[in-house]
Amino acid sequence: MTANFDEIAKQLQQELKRRAVDPSSPDLPPMPPTDAPPEQQPIEVTHGNNDMPMVIIRHAPSSQEAQVYCYGAAVTSWTTRGEEHFWVSDQNKWQVGGKAIRGGIPICFPQFGPYGDLVQHGFARVSDWRIRSTTVNEDQSVTAVFGLTSESGQEAMAAWPHKFDAEYSVTLSFAGLETRLSVKNTDDKPFSFTCAFHNYFKTSVVEDARVFGFENLKHLNRLDSDKEMAEQEDSGAGVMLTEETDRIYMNAPEELAAFDFATLKVLKIKKTPTLQDATLWNPFGAEGADPGWKNFICIEPACVTKPATLQPGETWVGAQLLGVE
Ligand code: TA6
């Protein structure tokens, strides 16, 4: 007998719909009622530090919460059962139009680092993004979408003469936190860009972290004029940071992980192939380092060594999914 896949797909869809609307479903915990106070709603549009506009996203069935500032579309907090997974500097001034928010997930776009004519890491992290939509999806995941276009006339964009429409969606689901950047070329000529999700993961102390997924990969050592370093043998113990480190691993695998020996926490990072590189950074107290450097490790899915090029009308998408165990 041939299986009728269309029929099975239809039934599955109906089942998902039923679960989304039926709070008594035994498999999925209920969402808060729609008349619950704002601080219990899946999406709360509010103000954060220094009265800056911010969105709080809540996925009550898995006790997750995330905070995203419109300035830089910066995710500054992600908690599971109240436990924070991002480091945020206590030196931040929290000013729209000021310095980029340091910590969480700054978006580096359309330039990673100093490689180009723009300000370090591009203008996305120092631009004011607009909230485009907020949605509770059928599978109970919750999404907030932010937009930034060349039409918004922000000062930091002046040095990049291209027309574009960028959309950044932040989703909480049973799988974890997903961030997704899509960039559309709305110009009549092609353009290229580099980018990264500059994740600042919180560590008990950075020396207790081990990073898995970088074994047997070449990397550029940014502390040595981007010298290409040979692959390191896989000892099975992960990469450990014991001194200032600033690397770009080329062709990094789609799954990476960080293990914290002090808390026994495993952080998993899945990334799309469009983010072919991944960086590893900690300043280890070097001159100018943030005083909080001991408590973070930056692992950043990135598109750096082969910039993305978009023809007029084309769209590029890069995403990461972060999970914790
Ligand atoms: O991704 C690592 C890196 O490019 C480092 O070289 C370091 O400069 C870091 O980002 C932070 O940059 P920022 O401009 O935020 O101080």
Side-chain angles (χ1 to χ4, degrees):
M1 202 178 96
T2 329
N4 182 342
F5 289 108
D6 285 348
E7 187 52 35
I8 294 170
K10 219 162 103 192
Q11 278 172 14
L12 273 175
Q13 251 179 8
Q14 275 168 359
E15 172 62 11
L16 277 176
K17 251 192 205 147
R18 187 187 64 77
R19 287 189 194 183
V21 294
D22 178 4
S24 64
S25 164
D27 300 330
L28 293 178
M31 295 292 275
T34 44
D35 57 354
E39 62 279 7
Q40 285 172 25
Q41 295 289 345
I43 294 279
E44 186 185 349
V45 179
T46 179
H47 290 87
N49 287 312
N50 212 9
D51 221 19
M52 288 163 83
M54 171 187 85
V55 176
I56 302 180
I57 307 172
R58 298 190 182 90
H59 188 248
S62 62
S63 300
Q64 290 183 85
E65 191 174 296
Q67 297 184 356
V68 193
Y69 277 75
C70 291
Y71 188 56
V75 175
T76 53
S77 170
W78 170 42
T79 57
T80 57
R81 287 179 196 80
E83 188 191 351
E84 181 60 66
H85 305 301
F86 286 128
W87 174 89
V88 172
S89 173
D90 56 17
Q91 310 285 302
N92 278 321
K93 295 272 188 290
W94 303 100
Q95 274 165 358
V96 173
K99 279 191 159 185
I101 297 171
R102 171 170 283 155
I105 318 179
I107 304 171
C108 305
F109 170 83
Q111 174 186 303
F112 174 81
Y115 306 114
D117 300 332
L118 302 182
V119 289
Q120 154 98 341
H121 289 322
F123 53 71
R125 66 179 186 160
V126 286
S127 291
D128 215 3
W129 292 62
R130 294 269 171 270
I131 303 168
R132 282 198 179 160
S133 64
T134 57
T135 321
V136 178
N137 307 298
E138 277 199 350
D139 62 356
Q140 293 196 357
S141 61
V142 187
T143 303
V145 180
F146 300 81
L148 181 71
T149 72
S150 40
E151 309 301 302
S152 62
Q154 303 192 40
E155 214 185 303
M157 290 179 186
W160 207 61
H162 304 291
K163 288 190 184 147
F164 71 94
D165 184 316
E167 196 156 273
Y168 186 58
S169 68
V170 181
T171 299
L172 284 180
S173 71
F174 285 103
L177 170 71
E178 186 199 81
T179 68
R180 176 173 294 263
L181 176 68
S182 44
V183 179
K184 183 173 184 186
N185 181 346
T186 53
D187 216 329
D188 54 10
K189 51 188 185 317
F191 63 70
S192 298
F193 63 89
T194 53
C195 65
F197 295 133
H198 200 308
N199 302 316
Y200 280 83
F201 296 119
K202 188 174 171 179
T203 55
S204 35
V205 283
V206 62
E207 291 96 332
D208 275 337
R210 301 286 183 280
V211 185
F212 295 87
F214 289 149
E215 308 84 4
N216 300 323
L217 283 186
K218 284 187 179 164
H219 70 261
L220 302 179
N221 184 358
R222 302 192 57 204
L223 300 175
D224 193 0
S225 320
D226 285 316
K227 188 171 158 193
E228 188 168 314
M229 311 297 282
E231 301 90 337
Q232 283 175 335
E233 262 190 36
D234 179 4
S235 68
V239 176
M240 192 173 133
L241 274 68
T242 53
E243 58 184 353
E244 186 183 2
T245 304
D246 197 351
R247 300 176 184 169
I248 302 172
Y249 283 91
M250 295 172 283
N251 301 315
E254 282 172 32
E255 294 196 20
L256 299 164
F259 180 67
D260 191 319
F261 267 87
T263 55
L264 304 182
K265 183 164 92 180
V266 182
L267 238 155
K268 290 185 173 172
I269 308 163
K270 279 192 193 175
K271 62 185 186 65
T272 51
T274 44
L275 297 163
Q276 72 275 21
D277 307 311
T279 75
L280 181 63
W281 177 62
N282 184 286
F284 255 81
E287 206 190 325
D290 191 285
W293 65 269
K294 268 181 183 287
N295 301 112
F296 70 75
I297 187 166
C298 284
I299 307 170
E300 310 158 34
C303 169
V304 180
T305 55
K306 287 183 209 126
T309 299
L310 285 177
Q311 299 300 323
E314 279 186 347
T315 299
W316 173 97
V317 179
Q320 65 172 355
L321 174 66
L322 307 178
V324 71
E325 279 174 17

